[in-house]
Amino acid sequence: MNPHDIQDDSRRQMLKGAGVFAAGAATLPGWVLPALAQGETLVPFTDVPEAFQVREKRPGATHYQDTRQITSHITSNDDFYVVQHYGQPEVDNDSYRLRVTGMVDRELDLSLAELMRRDAVDLQAGFECGGNSSGLFNGLIGNANWRGCALSQLLNEAGVRDGAKEVVFFGADVGMEEIREREVEKAFARSMSIADAMRPANLLAWEMNGEPLPVYHGKPLRLLVPGWYGVANVKWLTQIHVQDTRYMGRFMGRDYVTLKRVMVGGEERWVENSVTAIQLKSAIVRVTERGGEYNVLGFVLNDGTPLQGVEVSVDGGPWQPAQLSGENTRYSWKLFNFNWENPAPGEHAIVSRATDVNGNVQPTADEFPEKVSRWENYAQFQRTLTI
Ligand SMILES: Nc1nc2c(c(=O)[nH]1)N[C@H]1C(S)=C(S)[C@@H](COP(=O)(O)O)O[C@H]1N2
Ligand SMILES: [Mo]
């Protein structure tokens, strides 16, 4: 079957009902991307398994996008991926409170309206789940415009005391966790150092693409840490706690922890790190054809370090420069285009790599550090297709 047929939901339902999804698909017309320009067609990848399908957003569920559908710089609130670990709490705007507690001069206890009196800041940020992978064709990703107030402003209002070390962010969502053979109720929480928390780009966001934050994305308030993996962006944020000890919790110490073998002062050691800043990564997401001209589209994500460039290699050939979109901003995803001239008919393999101004180059799968865990998948990702 043509894997692109998965896009038409009514047709998919019909096929599913008939139980002939794979078998009957050969007779279906090819899927055409709605936003394709006149005369432009999508060239299917041959590496996409037939079973790959993306569902509509559903309450409580994980949602990923079909990255072949990326047609605009901003991801709509409906397409933006969704991940959470303890379900999606419904937080009532009227009774909502945000508390700032712990090692501060003045603890704060604010309604949403009171919080929203702070100066509004607009920021574009794209991010992916630390568990995003080539198996999902990098679908746990999105890029949106966010509005909120600066986290540093609120922390300064509260007055962080000398000796404080960490800021902990708690969500309204809770789950039962078995810790030391005891079932306890825990809220989703993440922490960071005071210096990281004070980075000027961090937002307490109440708007996404001009709409109040949707339930899926943390209504009414979420933390946004531009340049970090999605897990840092605590949704349904209700409490910010300042303390002088390290916060211990599943999403800092056990889950979203990468184990890799690296050199530590000349000794080879297995090191665990909590998933934080986004590793330099690029990936090709779609190829289109128009009048015999082929265009390759991809994205780059990283921690906000400016890029030196993105390159594409065809069939193991030389790296050729791709063109970065003029719409890219420091913390957005960085879309790029590559004009693929006169590809010969037949099977091809294409791959991209990003390089930042500090000379970091996105590694090949072979150069990738030995790593045990599914977090942080930033190796070069080769795609295959037939011309
Ligand atoms: N409160 C809360 N915030 C959370 C999570 C969660 O389970 N609970 N999941 C995190 C993870 S792992 C990711 S990848 C992002 C996803 O954000 P999104 O659903 O808005 O794309 O939310 C983060 N914030
Ligand atoms: Mo995640």
Side-chain angles (χ1 to χ4, degrees):
M1 69 169 277
N2 176 348
H4 304 287
D5 288 327
I6 60 179
Q7 294 317 309
D8 183 334
D9 203 55
S10 57
R11 189 165 63 203
R12 188 173 71 224
Q13 296 304 338
M14 193 187 76
L15 287 168
K16 260 198 195 150
V20 292
F21 185 50
T27 59
L28 292 170
W31 169 66
V32 178
L33 200 71
L36 283 174
Q38 273 269 305
E40 197 181 19
T41 56
L42 194 73
V43 182
F45 289 114
T46 50
D47 55 21
V48 180
E50 291 190 355
F52 180 76
Q53 45 171 286
V54 175
R55 295 213 182 98
E56 304 268 299
K57 260 184 179 166
R58 282 172 301 142
T62 297
H63 170 78
Y64 56 97
Q65 58 168 323
D66 185 336
T67 48
R68 293 166 297 181
Q69 283 193 91
I70 294 176
T71 53
S72 64
H73 189 69
I74 297 296
T75 313
S76 73
N77 290 0
D78 283 340
D79 287 341
F80 205 102
Y81 85 99
V82 178
V83 165
Q84 57 278 306
H85 302 272
Y86 301 139
Q88 296 166 337
E90 271 280 358
V91 181
D92 172 49
N93 280 7
D94 294 334
S95 54
Y96 173 80
R97 310 297 295 184
L98 175 68
R99 299 176 59 225
V100 181
T101 56
M103 293 182 68
V104 290
D105 295 331
R106 288 164 296 280
E107 294 201 334
L108 304 177
D109 185 345
L110 304 170
S111 69
L112 188 60
E114 284 164 347
L115 177 76
M116 287 172 69
R117 281 189 209 127
R118 309 285 171 305
D119 294 338
V121 180
D122 289 304
L123 187 105
Q124 193 177 121
F127 54 88
E128 64 171 6
C129 176
N132 205 14
S133 73
S134 53
L136 290 174
F137 301 94
N138 293 303
L140 296 175
I141 194 171
N143 184 62
N145 284 310
W146 309 89
R147 172 173 283 186
C149 65
L151 170 65
S152 59
Q153 185 186 352
L154 204 73
L155 288 173
N156 285 334
E157 269 177 46
V160 173
R161 288 212 188 129
D162 288 349
K165 290 205 174 75
E166 283 211 4
V167 185
V168 192
F169 301 87
F170 292 96
D173 48 335
V174 294
M176 296 306 289
E177 293 286 345
E178 195 188 305
I179 305 169
R180 307 242 162 241
E181 289 158 35
R182 167 109 194 236
E183 287 260 320
V184 292
E185 192 184 73
K186 295 276 283 183
F188 180 88
R190 284 274 304 189
S191 70
M192 63 180 78
S193 69
I194 302 286
D196 282 336
M198 285 297 191
R199 285 174 56 221
N202 296 339
L203 284 194
L204 299 172
W206 55 71
E207 239 180 68
M208 177 177 187
N209 292 330
E211 286 173 23
L213 209 55
V215 173
Y216 299 132
H217 296 293
K219 169 184 172 267
L221 192 76
R222 84 179 302 171
L223 174 65
L224 195 74
V225 187
W228 284 30
Y229 284 104
V231 67
N233 301 323
V234 178
K235 304 194 272 191
W236 312 291
L237 181 69
T238 56
Q239 188 183 2
I240 300 174
H241 187 74
V242 182
Q243 60 188 43
D244 62 0
T245 52
R246 180 164 72 99
Y247 170 78
M248 308 274 289
R250 171 173 156 197
F251 300 98
M252 290 304 295
R254 302 195 296 286
D255 218 345
Y256 288 84
V257 170
T258 301
L259 171 64
K260 56 179 180 260
R261 193 176 6 203
V262 291
M263 297 303 281
V264 178
E267 300 276 348
E268 195 177 73
R269 294 184 189 277
W270 284 100
V271 171
E272 292 151 279
N273 69 272
S274 179
V275 166
T276 54
I278 300 176
Q279 305 271 9
L280 178 64
K281 165 176 182 171
S282 74
I284 289 168
V285 293
R286 62 195 282 248
V287 177
T288 52
E289 185 267 343
R290 188 185 193 175
E293 302 224 349
Y294 289 79
N295 192 272
V296 179
L297 176 81
F299 70 83
V300 178
L301 278 181
N302 78 341
D303 61 1
T305 305
L307 298 179
Q308 193 178 300
V310 193
E311 298 154 294
V312 171
S313 161
V314 178
D315 300 326
W319 289 104
Q320 304 173 62
Q323 188 147 40
L324 284 157
S325 161
E327 287 182 272
N328 299 334
T329 60
R330 179 163 182 194
Y331 293 112
S332 74
W333 63 13
K334 265 65 83 178
L335 296 184
F336 64 87
N337 274 284
F338 174 74
N339 187 7
W340 187 7
E341 285 173 14
N342 305 315
E347 277 284 319
H348 293 283
I350 52 174
V351 66
S352 65
R353 73 168 183 197
T355 304
D356 72 18
V357 293
N358 297 329
N360 295 310
V361 183
Q362 182 185 2
T364 64
D366 288 341
E367 291 159 356
F368 209 54
E370 190 177 348
K371 185 163 90 52
V372 184
S373 80
R374 58 197 189 86
W375 313 115
E376 302 181 310
N377 299 302
Y378 57 96
Q380 292 172 24
F381 178 34
Q382 180 183 280
R383 311 300 309 264
T384 56
L385 71 175
T386 308
I387 298 290

